[in-house]
Amino acid sequence: MGEPVEWMDDGSPRSRRFDDRYRSSAGGLAQATTVFLAGCGLPHRWRGHERFTVLETGFGLGLNFLTTWAAWAADAERSGCLHFVSVEAYPVSVPDILRSAQMAAPPSGSDAGLMRRVQALAQELAQVWRDLAPGLHVFHFAQGRVQLTLAVGQAQRMLQSLDCRADAVYLDGFSPARNPDMWSLQTLQGVSLHCRAGTTLATYTVARSVRTRLEGLGFRVEKCAGLAPKRDCLKAVFLPQA
Ligand SMILES: C[S@@+](CC[C@H](N)C(=O)[O-])C[C@H]1O[C@@H](n2cnc3c(N)ncnc32)[C@H](O)[C@@H]1O
């Protein structure tokens, strides 16, 4: 039995535990592509890499993972392998993952092709998904070229135990006001442990506390155009002082 997801009248998923939406009211697919992929410079940045690793805080309904995988699969110049590492304390169940992929964009949206690919990949994820006990779970797809590592447990603790070198980071907890643990200095420090010079980072929030913590950890942070109704979102590059 997974974490319960509440489905609202407009088709968007919500968490009762955190009293917040799992994704932008503008749609999960649009958020994944414009805030997270574009914010991290993808697909461009994975070109020329043998292996490209994305680290995410908050796997949720897996839509960022599925969209990243779909974009990677559609890119003729993709990296040899895609490794997606995500931390999640409250894994959801298969029916919610599938429903999320069905409801990821308005039916008349311009992303129909991407949406179909995401839905097909959601079926593949559903086939291997099970009740996930705390700890690390590794799944392989695309003849081993796509690896998903799910670290099930509290982000702060799981980040300390992960062995990963991230090329890109998606920060996707619920809003800092409702989910402060995901944006605490300790959690962000845990993320920075896995970054190296040039690692890109993206998130939908521009909360000052988050920007200040990221800057203090060595990220160069920049506001950029957000997905309506939000005016801004955040992108950053890890450039620690030598
Ligand atoms: C906004 S949702 C993530 C949406 C997801 N990235 C997607 O593509 O569907 C935030 C996620 O963070 C998880 N979360 C909240 N607090 C956490 C914590 N302290 N440690 C780990 N995961 C946490 C929630 O359970 C939720 O699934």
Side-chain angles (χ1 to χ4, degrees):
M1 174 64 190
E3 172 76 354
V5 176
E6 207 170 85
W7 289 91
M8 304 176 55
D9 290 344
D10 66 358
S12 59
R14 188 177 181 84
S15 159
R16 225 174 280 161
R17 184 189 299 269
F18 291 97
D19 188 21
D20 201 1
R21 288 169 187 268
Y22 274 84
R23 56 208 191 203
S24 162
S25 56
L29 199 63
Q31 178 174 273
T33 52
T34 60
V35 175
F36 292 105
L37 277 118
C40 282
L42 302 176
H44 181 74
R45 283 200 61 244
W46 58 46
R47 294 180 182 157
H49 285 256
E50 184 39 45
R51 185 180 178 83
F52 192 88
T53 301
V54 179
L55 171 64
E56 176 184 59
T57 53
F59 186 76
L61 292 148
L63 194 64
N64 287 343
F65 164 61
L66 295 169
T67 308
T68 304
W69 177 7
W72 176 87
D75 183 6
E77 296 176 66
R78 61 189 173 267
S79 54
C81 299
L82 173 69
H83 188 192
F84 197 95
V85 182
S86 190
V87 179
E88 175 57 58
Y90 310 105
V92 300
S93 61
V94 161
D96 285 319
I97 288 175
L98 292 174
R99 185 165 178 181
S100 152
Q102 288 295 329
M103 311 294 275
S108 57
S110 56
D111 293 326
L114 178 61
M115 177 83 173
R116 272 194 303 278
R117 293 199 301 278
V118 163
Q119 288 168 357
L121 298 178
Q123 296 288 343
E124 289 195 43
L125 178 60
Q127 279 170 23
V128 298
W129 196 261
R130 49 180 188 264
D131 276 348
L132 296 170
L136 286 186
H137 302 267
V138 179
F139 303 98
H140 293 102
F141 306 95
Q143 293 82 44
R145 290 182 69 194
V146 175
Q147 180 178 320
L148 168 64
T149 299
L150 261 182
V152 176
Q154 292 296 319
Q156 217 170 292
R157 197 164 55 79
M158 298 315 288
L159 284 165
Q160 296 295 330
S161 63
L162 274 180
D163 178 15
C164 132
R165 277 170 69 78
D167 298 295
V169 174
Y170 301 167
L171 296 181
D172 198 16
F174 289 116
S175 72
R178 292 165 201 252
N179 191 191
D181 280 0
M182 285 293 254
W183 309 93
S184 69
L185 181 58
Q186 291 80 356
T187 298
L188 299 179
Q189 240 159 6
V191 166
S192 71
L193 286 178
H194 305 291
C195 298
R196 54 197 165 86
T199 298
T200 51
L201 176 148
T203 184
Y204 66 87
T205 182
V206 291
R208 175 164 287 285
S209 57
V210 173
R211 284 186 281 146
T212 305
R213 284 172 201 148
L214 288 172
E215 281 165 352
L217 289 165
F219 288 90
R220 194 184 63 208
V221 174
E222 195 186 326
K223 275 189 193 176
C224 43
L227 186 64
K230 280 188 176 291
R231 197 177 52 182
D232 304 304
C233 62
L234 213 66
K235 62 181 185 178
V237 186
F238 191 55
L239 292 172
Q241 305 249 313

